[in-house]
Each structure stands twice: as structure tokens, then as C-alpha cells.
Amino acid sequence: MQEPLLGAEGPDYDTFPEKSSPSPGDRTRVRAPQNKRVFLATFAAVLGNFSFGYALVYTSPVIPALEHSLDPDLKLTKAQASWFGSVFTLGAAAGGLSAMVLNDLLGRKLSIMFSAVPSAAGYALMAGAHGFWMLLLGRTLTGFAGGLTAACIPVYVSEIALPGVRGALGATPQLMAVFGSLSLYALGLLLPWRWLAVAGEGPVLIMILLLSFMPNSPRFLLSRGRDTEALRALAWLRGADADIRWEFEQIQDNVRRQSTHMSWAEARNPHMYRPILIALVMRFLQQLMGITPILVYLQPIFESTAILLPPKDDAAIVGAVRLFSVLIAALTMDLAGRKVLLFVSGYAMGWGPITWLLMSEILPLQARGVASGLCVLVSWLTAFALTKSFLLVVNAFGLHVPFFFFAAICLASLVFTGCCVPETKGRSLEQIESFFRTGRRSFLH
């Protein structure tokens, strides 16, 4: 058995020592990877997030077009428009629920690949829709795919990345989702609504093709007893010249200590329920900030204001600003830290990308697959409630009422961040898990 992951100097030892003295070989092993394959694997996976972001805001230009449609079977009423916008989130909740099983049954990579089936079918239904039910079913299927990828991709990326670049790579799912939304807004200036659905098929097909050549998560493979395959996967991700023995032993030791699924008795242990509760509350608060209904109804929102530019142009500008903000977050997350950005930045730089990354970092390996699916389920059920009621509240009380509510939630999220969210910058997943296992009264630093 190798030396303990972190030294203990007393009952209240610091699981995350500020200063450590790894050997020169260890320092080489934990720095940013020289092998670029880990970036290729990440890109292949986060194409699923591109499709998710694209599908999420598909209704923004489509709802105004269908409200003025000459086809009586496709002309949307206000009630139908609210269902068309919100049913995506119900599909996403179902996708998160299925991820609780598929994440650990098929593995992270195969679960992401499986999401291509409902995604492609959903786009096809919307592209060829001749009735409202086809629009709803297509929207639900693309939502299911989005919920599945939202639960699986952050876990996959966090498990293949080294600590030195995990923040940057962990921001790429949100970055690609925002890029997908921006692409939809941009194409909405040029293409009719049916062709927007056809264009959504492209990233799905590319994702399947690239992921076919990528390895599965070494941590997942070790949890299934496929040690040789896990070693090959880690060697592929780190490069032929990298010394992966130390990292492989740390992962192997952690997996062996958690070789069984979490039981209900274990779920009552603080080191299990604390990180899960933190992740759940983060997902809940992130959705209560109102980002989903704002994005889904972005163009109709601009149509109800006195903005001078055309609503389509306004939506595209918002998408570009979001993309720029998430890109800044990706570049600074491993330098500034997660908590700092949560405090000082807006949604696109903070609560957008960082909460997904923190979810994948702090969840215990023993419950990571199930807990990540649960987080997505809670997130999208919350999003459905907000998205379904948003237009009703706006029509009854005005646009300012929901935005005052969103502002109050943002203030509450600052308090939660200061009290409950730990800093994970520069720590391995094994170190983060040991951090919650210490049993200290405070685990905030």
C-alpha cells in the first residue's frame, strides 16, 4: 500500500495543506499535461453540450415565427408557446433521472454517445413537424438528450483531467453550451425554423464519430475491475512519455476503498451527504436565478421592451456576450479560484460554468453517477416550474416581477457561497474527497 494521500498531524489536520513538498517526479506528474489528447477527448465530449445549448434556445426565434404561422396546425397560442418553451426542461429532467442509472451502468462515455439517439430523433421530428404534437415530442427528446449529457459530460471531463487544467476543461461544457446557443441565434438570422432543426443534427453526428475513438474514464474502468483497460486509457490521455504510476495508484486506491455502491446507511455519513447537498443546492439556486426562462424566451422578451435593435439581433448580442464571459471564466478559473468567481462575477462567468464543474469535483466517487443525475433532475424540474410560469407571470404582473425575484435569489446565492461552498482549485479529486472525510467542523477553506 502506498503512503496516505495526505499526511495527518492531528485530529484536525488540514486535508488541503497550503504547502506541500512533492518530489520532483510528483511535481512533473501533477502539472498541466503536455499530451494534447486529453483536450481532444474533452472536445469530443462537450460537443454534446453544444447540441444542448443549441436545443435549449431553439424556441427563441421559432416561437415568434410560429405565432404568425399561416398553417393552422402549427400556429401557436400563448398557452401552446409556454408548453413549447418549457417541455424541454421536463425532457431534461427525465434525462437526468436516466443518468442516475446509465452513468454507472454504461459509463460516462457511452452514456454521452447514447444521448445522440433521442437528440437526432428530436431534431428530425421538429424539422418535419406537421402538427403541434410533433413539436412537443421533438422538443422533449432533445431535452432528454440535454439532461443526459448535462449529467454525464462534467463527470467525464473532471475524471480525465489533471488538477492543473481541470478548471479550464471543466468550464468547456458551459462554454460549448453557450457557443451552441450563439450559433442558434446567428443561424436564426439566416434560416427558417425547419432548417434550424436540420442544422442541429450536424454536431450530434460529429460527436458520435469523435467519441468512438476516445477512451472511457479511467476511474469508471477501475470501478468495474477493468484495471488493464484503465491503465491504457490513462496512458493514452497523459501521453507515452508521462509517468502515470503515481496517479494511477492514487485513483486505484480511492476506487478500492469505494468498491461498492453507496448504501442508505452510508448516505447518512457527513462526508457523503454534505457534498451531495452542496451540489443539489447549487443546481437549485442556479436555476432559480432565471437563466433558463430568459434564454428560452429571449427574443419574445426583447419584443416586449423598447430596445431599438431588432429582437433577433439583440438575442445574438446576448449570446456573444455570454460566450465571451464563459471564455474568461475558463481562462481564469484555475488562477483565481472557484469561490472568487462565484462572488465577483455575473452568471456567465460564475454560476453558469462553475456550478457544473464543482458538482463534478465534490461529489464522492461512490455516488458520483447517481448524485450527478439527481442534481440534473432537481435542476431541470426547477427550470420547468420557472419556464412554464414565466409567461403567465409576465402577462399578469409585468416583466419586472420575475426579474426582481431573480435578483433576490442572486443575493441568497452569495450567502450560500460564503457559508457552504469549498474551494477546490488545484486539488485532485482524491484530495477533495479526503477533504470531506476529515470530519472537521469547518470544511470551507
Side-chain angles (χ1 to χ4, degrees):
M1 177 70 69
Q2 66 266 24
E3 292 296 318
L5 181 61
L6 297 164
E9 299 179 357
D12 293 323
Y13 70 92
D14 186 1
T15 312
F16 287 172
E18 292 295 326
K19 296 182 180 180
S20 57
S21 301
S23 67
D26 288 349
R27 286 196 295 268
T28 300
R29 284 187 281 273
V30 299
R31 68 185 180 183
Q34 300 300 312
N35 181 40
K36 307 303 182 186
R37 289 176 177 173
V38 67
F39 300 109
L40 178 60
T42 300
F43 174 74
V46 298
L47 280 172
N49 288 99
F50 179 96
S51 184
F52 166 73
Y54 187 98
L56 174 65
V57 301
Y58 175 75
T59 52
S60 180
V62 174
I63 285 178
L66 292 181
E67 284 180 334
H68 299 91
S69 175
L70 299 178
D71 186 344
D73 293 329
L74 293 174
K75 186 178 177 65
L76 297 184
T77 65
K78 291 295 183 183
Q80 288 175 325
S82 69
W83 275 109
F84 187 40
S86 61
V87 76
F88 178 94
T89 58
L90 284 182
L97 188 62
S98 68
M100 296 171 65
V101 177
L102 295 178
N103 226 344
D104 290 326
L105 180 65
L106 299 179
R108 291 50 159 145
K109 188 189 85 165
L110 289 180
S111 295
I112 299 169
M113 295 178 71
F114 175 76
S115 71
V117 177
S119 184
Y123 282 128
L125 278 169
M126 289 188 291
H130 295 292
F132 182 58
W133 71 270
M134 296 181 72
L135 292 173
L136 287 186
L137 182 56
R139 187 93 171 120
T140 304
L141 287 173
T142 54
F144 180 90
L148 183 57
T149 56
C152 300
I153 291 175
V155 175
Y156 178 75
V157 171
S158 70
E159 290 186 348
I160 66 174
L162 278 168
V165 294
R166 196 175 61 243
L169 294 184
T172 55
Q174 182 71 9
L175 182 65
M176 288 297 285
V178 173
F179 186 50
S181 298
L182 176 60
S183 299
L184 185 282
Y185 294 140
L187 289 175
L189 300 174
L190 305 172
L191 299 178
W193 65 271
R194 291 188 189 274
W195 282 102
L196 287 177
V198 174
E201 301 278 10
V204 177
L205 298 177
I206 297 173
M207 179 192 72
I208 284 289
L209 179 63
L210 290 180
L211 275 179
S212 300
F213 299 98
M214 300 300 119
N216 215 321
S217 159
R219 287 173 175 84
F220 169 76
L221 294 172
L222 280 171
S223 70
R224 291 296 178 266
R226 296 150 65 179
D227 292 23
T228 302
E229 190 177 347
L231 185 60
R232 286 200 303 268
L234 190 61
W236 189 92
L237 291 165
R238 301 293 180 257
D241 297 329
D243 185 355
I244 61 172
R245 290 173 297 175
W246 181 83
E247 183 182 4
F248 185 77
E249 288 174 358
Q250 299 304 307
I251 298 173
Q252 191 175 48
D253 181 57
N254 191 44
V255 170
R256 283 174 178 170
R257 284 189 279 107
Q258 303 182 65
S259 57
T260 59
H261 290 291
M262 180 181 64
S263 65
W264 284 111
E266 290 173 316
R268 292 194 292 268
N269 291 331
H271 74 270
M272 283 289 185
Y273 71 72
R274 280 180 176 175
I276 294 175
L277 279 178
I278 290 173
L280 284 171
V281 175
M282 281 194 302
R283 303 304 313 135
F284 181 63
L285 287 175
Q286 189 214 38
Q287 287 295 350
L288 283 182
M289 289 178 182
I291 188 63
T292 299
I294 290 174
L295 292 178
V296 168
Y297 303 121
L298 188 56
Q299 191 168 316
I301 289 173
F302 279 122
E303 287 180 345
S304 65
T305 64
I307 300 295
L308 297 178
L309 291 175
K312 286 186 176 182
D313 294 345
D314 293 325
I317 292 172
V318 170
V321 172
R322 289 182 65 221
L323 180 64
F324 180 71
S325 300
V326 176
L327 183 59
I328 294 176
L331 296 175
T332 59
M333 205 179 298
D334 286 317
L335 298 175
R338 282 57 156 158
K339 288 189 71 169
V340 172
L341 289 179
L342 287 178
F343 272 118
V344 304
S345 63
Y347 179 89
M349 284 182 60
W351 279 80
I354 293 176
T355 52
W356 287 111
L357 171 63
L358 279 170
M359 179 193 79
S360 63
E361 288 182 324
I362 67 177
L363 291 178
L365 176 64
Q366 196 170 357
R368 193 168 294 157
V370 172
S372 63
L374 180 62
C375 287
V376 173
L377 175 65
V378 169
S379 176
W380 291 109
L381 286 178
T382 307
F384 170 74
L386 285 176
T387 308
K388 186 66 178 70
S389 61
F390 182 82
L391 291 180
L392 301 177
V393 172
V394 170
N395 291 333
F397 304 104
L399 190 60
H400 63 284
V401 172
F403 278 89
F404 277 131
F405 173 77
F406 299 151
I409 295 299
C410 289
L411 292 177
S413 70
L414 291 178
V415 177
F416 174 76
T417 300
C419 295
C420 302
V421 177
E423 179 57 74
T424 59
K425 181 187 72 172
R427 311 300 182 181
S428 71
L429 297 184
E430 285 67 43
Q431 285 177 314
I432 295 170
E433 194 151 336
S434 292
F435 175 70
F436 283 102
R437 286 182 178 274
T438 62
R440 297 181 304 166
R441 287 188 305 169
S442 174
F443 56 95
L444 307 179
H445 303 291

